[in-house]
Amino acid sequence: MTEALKRDYRICEEIGRGRFGVVCRCEPLRPSAAPSSASSLAVKSIDKSAVSGDDLDAHCLLMEPKVLSLLSPHPNLLRMHNAYEDSSHLHLVLDLCDSPDLHRTVASAGPLPEPEAARILSQLMRAVAHCHRHGVVHRDIKPDNILFDSRGRLRLADFGSAEVIGGGEPAAGLRGVVGTPYYVAPEVVEGREYGEKVDVWSAGVVLYVMLAGFPPFYGESAPEIFGAVVRANLRFPPRVFRSVLATAKDLLRKMLCRDVSRRFSADQVLRHPWLTSFGGAEATELQTIA
C-alpha cells in the first residue's frame, strides 16, 4: 500500500472482494482527500499480479481510472476521487455505496413495481446518456454494477470494460465480446462492429429483469445464452406481464431491438411516455443536480 494512500486515508474493514482485488471502506485523514459531503469512501485495490498477460485483462486494469477521469461528475455515476499506484497495486478511491446492489435487490424482493423500475431506469439512462455524450461506452451494464448510495440514489459502477469512441454523433467501430452473457447485445456476440447502443440493449435487459425477475434471453450455458440473444425472440409471459402496462412493453421492444438502426438511443429512452409518466419529476430534479 502506497505511503501517499496511507497518509491521505485510514483504511477500514473489507466490504467486497473480486477477481482482481478487494474493496475496503476508508476515511479521509486530510480535508483535501475527500469531498466535503463524504466522511467515508471506498478504496478499490487491484492486485497487478492477479492480472494475467491477456491483453483484455491488462486493458481492463488500465481503463477504469482513465475513463472515470474523462467523465465529468454526475449524480448517477460512481465518482473517482483519487488514484494511487505502486509496484504491486492500483488503488482507486471511490464513492462508498454500501446498500444492496440491484442484483441483490431483485434476488431478494423479486420483480419490482413499475414506478420503482421506472425510477431506477430513469437514473440509469441519465448516467448512460452522460457517458455517451462524453464518448464513453460502458459495455458491461448489469444489475451487479448498479449500486445505490446512502440516499438511495443510483450509481453506475465498474468501468473496467469501458471504451472511449468519441462524443457527439452515434458511433461504431468497437469489436470484441465484452460483457456478461445475459446482458450482451446481439451485434457483440456476432462479432460485428458496434457502438454505444450496446448499452441501451443491456439497460433493456435490466428493465426486463426488474419487471419479470428473470432475463428475457437465457440458456443452460454461455453458448446457449448467446444463441438466444442473437435470435432476440422477445416474449412477455402472461403470468408475469399480465398487469404490466403496454407502454412498458413498447419501451422494451424499442430497447431490445435487434436492428441497431431502429434501437432507441439513451436520450430517446428518457423521452419515452412510460418513463416520463412515472419519473418526470425526478428526471427534472436529477437534471438540475447534474
Side-chain angles (χ1 to χ4, degrees):
M1 191 169 294
T2 69
E3 290 301 318
L5 176 63
K6 290 190 288 185
R7 182 187 65 235
D8 291 343
Y9 300 93
R10 178 183 297 109
I11 309 303
C12 306
E13 73 277 7
E14 180 181 318
I15 56 176
R17 180 174 291 268
R19 181 179 167 198
F20 296 133
V22 299
V23 180
C24 295
R25 188 175 65 84
C26 66
E27 298 173 350
L29 295 173
R30 304 195 309 166
S32 60
S36 58
S37 60
S39 58
S40 290
L41 297 164
V43 57
K44 181 177 181 179
S45 297
I46 303 168
D47 183 356
K48 293 181 179 180
S49 66
V51 180
S52 71
D54 181 85
D55 289 343
L56 180 60
D57 286 345
H59 176 83
C60 290
L61 175 69
L62 298 172
M63 279 306 293
E64 185 162 26
K66 176 182 176 182
V67 169
L68 290 175
S69 65
L70 286 174
L71 291 169
S72 59
H74 188 276
N76 298 125
L77 291 180
L78 197 66
R79 185 175 177 182
M80 182 179 72
H81 299 281
N82 279 304
Y84 304 83
E85 187 172 6
D86 56 32
S87 59
S88 61
H89 285 80
L90 176 66
H91 307 279
L92 307 181
V93 179
L94 307 162
D95 292 323
L96 177 68
C97 292
D98 51 3
S99 299
D101 61 35
L102 184 59
H103 172 77
R104 289 163 60 192
T105 298
V106 175
S108 62
L112 304 181
E114 285 186 68
E116 178 67 6
R119 184 186 72 83
I120 291 171
L121 184 69
S122 175
Q123 295 179 72
L124 173 60
M125 296 315 298
R126 288 191 174 277
V128 171
H130 181 79
C131 290
H132 292 177
R133 282 192 290 271
H134 286 74
V136 172
V137 185
H138 187 283
R139 299 205 296 176
D140 195 20
I141 292 175
K142 59 183 178 181
D144 315 60
N145 291 336
I146 297 172
L147 311 181
F148 299 94
D149 62 21
S150 59
R151 300 171 60 186
R153 179 177 291 160
L154 179 148
R155 300 295 189 97
L156 180 60
D158 198 346
F159 284 77
S161 298
E163 272 287 2
V164 181
I165 58 175
E169 296 301 315
L174 298 178
R175 286 191 182 273
V177 179
V178 176
T180 302
Y182 288 117
Y183 299 90
V184 72
E187 59 268 30
V188 177
V189 178
E190 293 177 324
R192 293 185 276 140
E193 286 192 350
Y194 57 87
E196 69 271 14
K197 284 189 177 180
V198 297
D199 288 344
V200 177
W201 175 282
S202 300
V205 178
V206 169
L207 174 58
Y208 191 103
V209 168
M210 287 195 289
L211 295 175
F214 53 83
F217 314 112
Y218 48 87
E220 296 299 320
S221 64
E224 287 185 10
I225 297 168
F226 286 146
V229 167
V230 169
R231 290 190 295 274
N233 184 16
L234 182 62
R235 296 180 177 179
F236 301 108
R239 63 182 177 82
V240 176
F241 282 91
R242 182 176 292 107
S243 61
V244 173
L245 291 173
T247 49
K249 298 171 190 175
D250 178 72
L251 178 56
L252 282 166
R253 291 188 187 98
K254 289 178 167 62
M255 297 177 75
L256 297 174
C257 179
R258 197 181 186 287
D259 183 345
V260 179
S261 67
R262 294 173 53 233
R263 188 183 307 159
F264 265 17
S265 68
D267 285 326
Q268 285 176 305
V269 173
L270 286 165
R271 294 194 297 268
H272 190 274
W274 180 78
L275 204 55
T276 57
S277 67
F278 283 118
E282 181 187 51
T284 302
E285 177 191 355
L286 288 172
Q287 192 172 37
T288 301
I289 294 171

